[in-house]
Amino acid sequence: MGTETEVLKRSAPTFFGIIIFKLLKGMAFLSLAIVLYCLSDNNLPQEYKDFLAEPAIQSILHILRVHPGNKFFTHLAEQVGQLTEANVLWAAAGTCFYSLFSLVEGVGMIFRVSWAGWMAIGESAFFIPIEIYELSRPGKFSWIVVAVLVINIIIVLYLFRNRGRLFRHHHPRASSVPADRPM
């Protein structure tokens, strides 16, 4: 075994955490796409009203001291009322595409192929300016967005700094080519 193989076998818990994060994110978005597809032909406004009328939901809302007629639920009902089957199917298709993107990243990183690392770096770096913009908008601060921003920054920095040891490269390194063999 060469030194390059030994470098690849070194433990990289952060790398494995990133792989698990990408795979879980991909599975969550794929599940959401399937749910959206299954709900696309339903009468969503009526289902929303029925959902809020359920006794269990009513008791949860009562415990949380939330009235179903407040501004949030009214706005949500208006948005659900505007959904069409075609819009839900487009959302399902887009969500499915994004989930496959994350799943391909995760599987590619399991096999330690360099394109998967660059794909993960690019995808995570793409969202950083968007998250910063969202945080800079007045009245739009969210700790969830801060957490996502920090996770994306960690992923980009870690993968970029460690790309040489985490991923296989298909070109031979100058030090691994024998001196008597021409390049």
Side-chain angles (χ1 to χ4, degrees):
M1 297 251 161
T3 57
E4 186 174 326
T5 306
E6 292 168 11
V7 168
L8 285 174
K9 287 186 176 180
R10 271 198 320 198
S11 180
T14 306
F15 183 64
F16 297 126
I18 292 170
I19 292 171
I20 291 169
F21 174 74
K22 294 290 184 181
L23 292 174
L24 288 175
K25 182 172 75 167
M27 289 186 287
F29 277 105
L30 184 60
S31 300
L32 177 62
I34 292 168
V35 167
L36 286 172
Y37 179 76
C38 292
L39 290 175
S40 66
D41 61 348
N42 294 5
N43 183 357
L44 295 177
Q46 185 59 43
E47 285 191 12
Y48 177 73
K49 289 177 187 173
D50 295 343
F51 175 76
L52 287 180
E54 297 254 347
I57 300 301
Q58 287 291 325
S59 64
I60 291 171
L61 293 175
H62 180 70
I63 291 170
L64 296 174
R65 299 176 196 261
V66 176
H67 189 272
N70 76 10
K71 184 179 178 181
F72 172 78
F73 289 105
T74 305
H75 181 69
L76 185 60
E78 290 170 3
Q79 297 298 317
V80 169
Q82 294 175 1
L83 287 176
T84 64
E85 183 177 354
N87 290 349
V88 176
L89 288 173
W90 275 108
T95 305
C96 182
F97 177 75
Y98 183 70
S99 73
L100 294 177
F101 194 76
S102 293
L103 290 171
V104 166
E105 280 180 74
V107 171
M109 287 193 297
I110 288 172
F111 291 108
R112 294 186 180 230
V113 290
S114 60
W115 58 261
W118 285 111
M119 194 172 165
I121 291 169
E123 185 237 354
S124 297
F126 173 80
F127 288 107
I128 291 173
I130 296 169
E131 293 153 0
I132 291 171
Y133 171 75
E134 283 298 316
L135 289 172
S136 67
R137 291 175 51 197
K140 298 292 182 179
F141 182 83
S142 166
W143 284 107
I144 294 172
V145 176
V146 170
V148 171
L149 175 65
V150 169
I151 289 170
N152 279 335
I153 290 171
I154 290 170
I155 289 171
V156 169
L157 289 175
Y158 179 80
L159 290 177
F160 186 76
R161 286 184 178 167
N162 296 293
R163 67 190 183 281
R165 82 173 174 90
L166 294 175
F167 301 105
R168 279 191 297 250
H169 300 283
H170 298 289
H171 54 85
R173 294 179 185 225
S175 62
S176 65
V177 177
D180 61 330
R181 197 174 109 197
M183 300 216 14

